[in-house]
Amino acid sequence: LAEEFPSGYEAELAEWQAIVARDQHAFNEWHKRYEIRLRRSLRSFADVVDPEAALQEALLRMWQTAPVVKPDGHRAIEPDGPDFLYRWTVTVAHRNALNRLKRSAREDLVGRVELVADVRPRDDNAVGGRTRKRIGEQDTYKERTADPMLRERIGRCANQLTGKLRNALRARIRDEGQRNDSELAAELGTTHDAFRKQIGRFRDAVEQCLLRHGIKFREYFA
Amino acid sequence: MTDEDLLIAEATTAWRPRTPDGQILEHPAWADLAAAGRQQAYEETLVMRVLEAALDPDGYSTTVRAVARLIAAE
């Protein structure tokens, strides 16, 4: 959260070239910066497609196909302006979400979500937009999520909590998404229910702590 | 916490089941939620990823780590 962002389009092109050269650190840093924006782009799908699964698969696809990015006659897969990797990955994520929906038993929802996928990104210049008038808004968002004071304050709030409350989230962080909560709970010698409660209580406690310091945490994602 | 709260908390993990050919599947807890619960799980996941990143030495969320693992395993 505290990292510096590339200063412009040229820096983004250099970052893309590093990803094309299979620099996984460059990819991780790019992913880190754009994760919340990518996740927000899936909000309209959230009740019909698991956003986490769709996002992870889209990011994997982005890594696999970054070397062959070229104008394709459609949109987004062109290094044509700021955030082109972001816009491209949003397109991949939305297509992935639609495919998931078509494979599910909810064919009745496909039309509704297709409309969202087709219109919404262009409305907010996320995909295929040639104008740059919203770059200022995006920069403001980046500055907010990059706020090192927020990161420091979250760390302080977390450290004020009992070890028991911190254990579950720390276990998830250590595990890097490799095992489910039931397995992590067993490793900690606790029950699945207790583990899940610790996750929820940790989140609530940190949010309350941030609020006491005047930080309305959820406004960062509004 | 209600049963729905527990499912929502569980769905915020970055872990997802995978098929042998690498397809990433939906979380069973997410699948058990109704539409309103899924929306809430989405919002809570946003919060969790920022908390995780703030507590990670490199500033990476568990999703960044999980995807990095997938790439490394290719």
Side-chain angles (χ1 to χ4, degrees), chain A residues 194-209:
Chain A
F195 186 96
R196 295 185 295 180
K197 285 176 184 172
Q198 285 176 20
I199 291 289
R201 286 173 182 160
F202 176 91
R203 180 200 62 223
D204 291 345
V206 171
E207 278 197 82
Q208 287 300 315
C209 174

Side-chain angles (χ1 to χ4, degrees), chain A residues 29 35 50 64 100 151, chain B residues 16 24 56 60-61 63 74:
Chain A
E29 291 295 307
E35 179 179 350
D50 182 357
Q64 291 166 338
R100 285 172 178 274
R151 178 181 171 136
Chain B
R16 287 296 180 273
I24 301 169
D56 181 273
Y60 293 162
S61 74
T63 298
E74 281 192 327

Side-chain angles (χ1 to χ4, degrees), chain A:
Chain A
L1 291 174
E3 297 293 321
E4 292 293 323
F5 292 108
S7 57
Y9 179 52
E10 288 73 21
E12 192 175 2
L13 275 176
E15 190 170 39
W16 169 48
Q17 286 160 357
I19 293 171
V20 168
R22 307 289 79 184
D23 180 341
Q24 193 174 343
H25 178 72
F27 176 82
N28 291 345
E29 291 295 307
W30 178 87
H31 179 177
K32 176 172 77 172
R33 287 200 315 280
Y34 282 92
E35 179 179 350
I36 299 300
R37 285 179 67 192
L38 287 165
R39 205 173 281 281
R40 288 166 74 222
S41 82
L42 289 166
R43 174 170 272 135
S44 299
F45 295 89
D47 63 339
V48 289
V49 170
D50 182 357
E52 181 71 32
L55 180 60
Q56 288 191 21
E57 210 158 75
L59 287 159
L60 192 57
R61 182 77 178 146
M62 184 278 218
W63 164 262
Q64 291 166 338
T65 57
V68 295
V69 171
K70 60 179 71 169
D72 67 353
H74 297 291
R75 60 188 185 196
I77 310 181
E78 305 170 44
D80 62 350
D83 292 337
F84 67 92
L85 279 177
Y86 164 74
R87 289 183 281 110
W88 171 37
T89 308
V90 166
T91 300
V92 173
H94 283 207
R95 287 175 182 165
N96 184 290
L98 282 171
N99 288 336
R100 285 172 178 274
L101 194 55
K102 287 172 180 172
R103 287 198 303 267
S104 75
R106 301 305 307 273
E107 288 284 344
D108 55 314
L109 295 174
V110 170
R112 187 193 107 192
V113 181
E114 253 176 349
L115 182 66
V116 172
D118 187 49
V119 174
R120 184 173 174 167
R122 272 183 288 180
D123 280 352
D124 66 14
N125 289 319
V127 176
R130 295 292 196 274
T131 64
R132 302 185 181 190
K133 64 183 178 182
R134 291 205 175 194
I135 290 172
E137 291 178 22
Q138 292 169 356
D139 287 346
T140 300
Y141 175 77
K142 286 178 179 177
E143 287 166 12
R144 280 181 160 194
T145 54
D147 184 353
M149 291 181 67
L150 172 63
R151 178 181 171 136
E152 182 187 349
R153 179 54 65 187
I154 290 171
R156 285 188 184 185
C157 287
N159 285 332
Q160 289 171 8
L161 303 177
T162 65
K164 190 177 176 182
L165 266 187
R166 295 196 304 248
N167 283 347
L169 185 60
R170 289 197 184 284
R172 277 190 181 176
I173 291 172
R174 277 197 309 272
D175 187 64
E176 302 181 348
Q178 300 305 294
R179 289 176 293 173
N180 62 36
D181 283 356
S182 181
E183 293 171 289
L184 296 177
E187 185 178 75
L188 291 178
T190 189
T191 66
H192 189 198
D193 278 1
F195 186 96
R196 295 185 295 180
K197 285 176 184 172
Q198 285 176 20
I199 291 289
R201 286 173 182 160
F202 176 91
R203 180 200 62 223
D204 291 345
V206 171
E207 278 197 82
Q208 287 300 315
C209 174
L210 291 172
L211 196 57
R212 285 197 296 276
H213 290 90
I215 300 169
K216 295 178 180 175
F217 189 48
R218 291 180 190 249
E219 288 187 359
Y220 278 76
F221 320 117

